[in-house]
Structures are given as structure tokens and as C-alpha cells.
Amino acid sequence: MAIVRAIPDTEAGRRRLALDSPVDRSPIGELDVDGAGEVDSAVARARAAQSAWAARDVGERAAIVRAAIDVIVARRGEIADTVRAETGKPRAEALGVEIVPACDFLNYWTARARRDLRPHRQRLHGYLRPVKKLYIHYQPLGVVGVITPWNAPFVLTLNPVVQALLAGNAVVFKPSEVTPESGAWVARVLHEAGVPEDVVQVLRGDGETGAALVNSDIDKVCFTGSVGTGRKIAAACAARLLPCTLELGGKDAMIVCADADLERAAAGAVYLSMFNTGQVCMSVERIYVVEAVADEFIGLVTRKAAEITYGPGDNDLGPLFWDRQLDIVTRHVDDAKAKGADIPVGGAPVAGNGLYYQPTVVVGADHAMDLMTEETFGPVAAIMRVRDEEEAIRLANDSRYGLSGSVFTRDAAKARRIAARLTTGSVVHNDAAVIYGVPEAPFGGRKDSGVGHVNGTDALRGFAHAQPILIDRWQPKRESIWYPYSEKTIRDLDGLLRYGFGNRLLRRLLS
């Protein structure tokens, strides 16, 4: 993420921010901060444009949005260059973490939109079935506000924006102030695909702009970011009874069982804790390895981590995206070292102007260390030996976070048994982090890791109101329960209870 500096206000009185590269701190751009007035104006334009967008057939909306795939493919080099300028990511990660999954999400959601959002008839139960028919219609919410983070600024913006658009909403979104142009590419590719300009709009700014968006005349908030900011958004939404989806931080645990393929587990431990410089909410932040295989596993991890290339240029590991993140990673590793952990690989920032931190392996970690309890978000594989899988499960659950987790074992049935005991939003077998890229899987956290889901089979419906419409089959003059009450009314109700619900066989027919 680019380094942000405040610079003197513009003549118009708007705050202005300067961005410096995390690679070498050279200037890469400036931006004016959108204030409450600009936010309200954007939301008003979105509301005026939303009804016409919603009036289009869902298939027409999907066809327009689907055209964004061709735009991304054609402009992938420009998008990747922007992402790399603001984050310093290696080109492989700009393509593999940002652009490939963005195209996959677009392809998947546009193919599902007509099926997921069409009105459908819902079968009724029991005594209602002969007299009523139920239909479910999906109405757009209106204007959706989306606030997205800096660690995967293109794909984590595109995914919720596209879901909301397909459901018939207009969207006003704010990418992080330190990856503003990477996020803004989402609006550019959608506009080029044919989405009207007022239907999807981008704001530029920091937390002040985000707060103004949350407090504006919108109908839902979708936020990805820190726990602290998520709590503030939840409180603001609660005051207005505004629906919100919050995808927050993680401290994901990896459990290495005694029967794991140790070569794969070690390769996974290194990559899954360090790709994107460890700045992934579902990256592996805690590793619990069963004592019986710990020595071999640690040896493999140490050797693989020592082979990672890092520094300016297209190496394996880029810089941290934010200067504050460098401080956090350094503090966590230094705390672990002071409390007795061994650091066989790395363990320090890289000298120079960039925000580089060495790929690091920490052995002998425990829950007295910040490294095992607070979100680190850096290229650190923190390993703790455990007696057995039972202890690993207990320690994995000993966290205020609950986003995702992983289990490495050759036994898929065992992986499912362990997963069922983990208090996390999702679990992955012999892999990690990839779960967000599986659109069929509902993705969301437990505990401090969030509220609600993105993705999954009901994802598009999460940006719509499911409106039930109950149709009368026979249109009689009155219902049997309507006024005036009579002795017959009471006999009929009593008979339903005695002979319907009071009879176990008939009770089953009424279900």
C-alpha cells in the first residue's frame, strides 16, 4: 500500500493527500479527499439512476457486467501496473491475486444472476397448500455503499460491487486512500463495459470519506477492513437499522497432523503465511504442529523459507504495503524473540527506503506472544509444537478471531471432523486462503472476524430484499377465521388441533 502524507489543502478547501511508493518511498500521486458534500452528491446521483438500472431485465444487467471481463483481459497490463505501483506486489501476485480471480468472479456471478434473482414459487406446507400459493420476488435494496481495503484493492472491490449491481442496485464505493487508483479501476472497467456512470461511482478519501458514506442516504453497507472500523460502522448502521456486511480481521490457524504430507504442509506453511507479503485476512498466522512430526516439519519450513527471494524487482516477496504495518510486524517478532522464541530465518526489516521485511520463521511460539494472538499481517510463519490434535484444536479456538483455518492431513474424513470443531467461518483441507476465491462457498467470519457473508449461493440475494407474495387460490368471500366468530369457528379450530396436530400420522402430512 502506498505511504500516505497530508499536504496543504487545495484552494477549494478540500484536504489533499500525497502517496509514496512502498518500494522506495518515491512520490506516485496525489488525491483530493471527498468530503460529506461530494459523498451526498454522489449518492443522490446514484439514487436517481438506480431505478432505470433495476428496471432492466436481470439478464440484460448480467450481459453488460459480463462485458467487463473482456475489458479486464484487454487492460490487464495497465491494471497490474497500477496495483504494483501502489503496493509493490510482484507481477505474479498482481495477476494471480487480483486479476485472475476478478475475471472468475465476473464470469461466475453473471452466469448465476438470472437463476438466483428470478421470481420463483415456493412450495407451501400442510393445510396452507390447498388454499394459498407463495411466490418470492427479489427487490433491489437501492443504493449500496461499499468500502474496501488496501491488501487486494482491485478484486476485493470488484467482487461486492458486481454482486450489488447484478441485484439491481446502484453502488457508491470508496477504496482505501492508499490504493485509490487500484480500486478506481473497478469503476473504469464497468463503465467501459456499459454500466451507466451514475450507477457505479468511486469516491476518493480516507476514514472521513468512509464515515460520510456510511452516514449518507444509502440502503446497505458492505465493508472489508479492520475490526476497529467495523465496530464503528456496525454501531452507525444499528442506529439507522441499516443492513451491513462486515468482513474483518483474522488470525487463521493451520493444524499439521501427524499423518500430514509434510512436504506439502511445509510448502503450504511458507507460501500461505507469506504470499502477498502475508497481508491477507485468511493467511496462515498461527501454525500448530503435532510433536511427533514437528522436527521434520520445522526443518522443511526453515529450508523453504530461506530460499524465498525478496526486495525490489520481480522477486517472490514484495514490500509491506503500509509503513504502519512494518511497525506492527517488527513489534510482534521482537516481542516473540524477547519471550524466548527462536528465529531461524529472517526476523528484521530490510535496510533501505522500502517497506521490506525479511521472510521470517518463528519457532517455539506460544500464546503469551502477540505474534500468536494479535493480527500480524506480515511474512511470518509462526510455529508452535503441540502434544496432539486435541491440543491443536483447543489452541486454534483460543482466539478472539474466527475467520478461517486449515487442516493438513492425508485423511479427508479426519479433516472434516477437526473442521467441525473449529470456531471459524470456514476451514480448508491441505490449503488455506483459497476459500475466498471459491464463489460457491459462503465467506464470513465469526467472533471479531465479522458479520454476514459474501459469496455463497445466496450472495446476490444478500443485496436484495426477498419479498414473499402470498396468492389466494380460490378467492372466497371470506376466510374461515374472519369475523364474526362463532361456535363453528371454535369447533373447527379445536378439531384441527385434536385431529390434525394431535394425531402423529396427520401431523406428518401437515409438515
Side-chain angles (χ1 to χ4, degrees), residues 416-439:
R416 291 184 65 184
R417 289 195 301 271
I418 292 174
R421 297 175 60 190
L422 296 178
T423 313
T424 60
S426 57
V427 180
V428 182
H429 177 217
N430 290 343
D431 202 347
V434 68
I435 192 68
Y436 184 86
V438 180

Side-chain angles (χ1 to χ4, degrees), residues 275 365 368:
F275 85 100

Side-chain angles (χ1 to χ4, degrees), residues 321-338:
F321 304 164
W322 194 15
D323 48 351
R324 298 183 200 174
Q325 204 58 44
L326 182 61
D327 295 338
I328 293 170
V329 176
T330 302
R331 176 168 54 80
H332 284 190
V333 174
D334 288 350
D335 173 74
K337 192 184 306 182

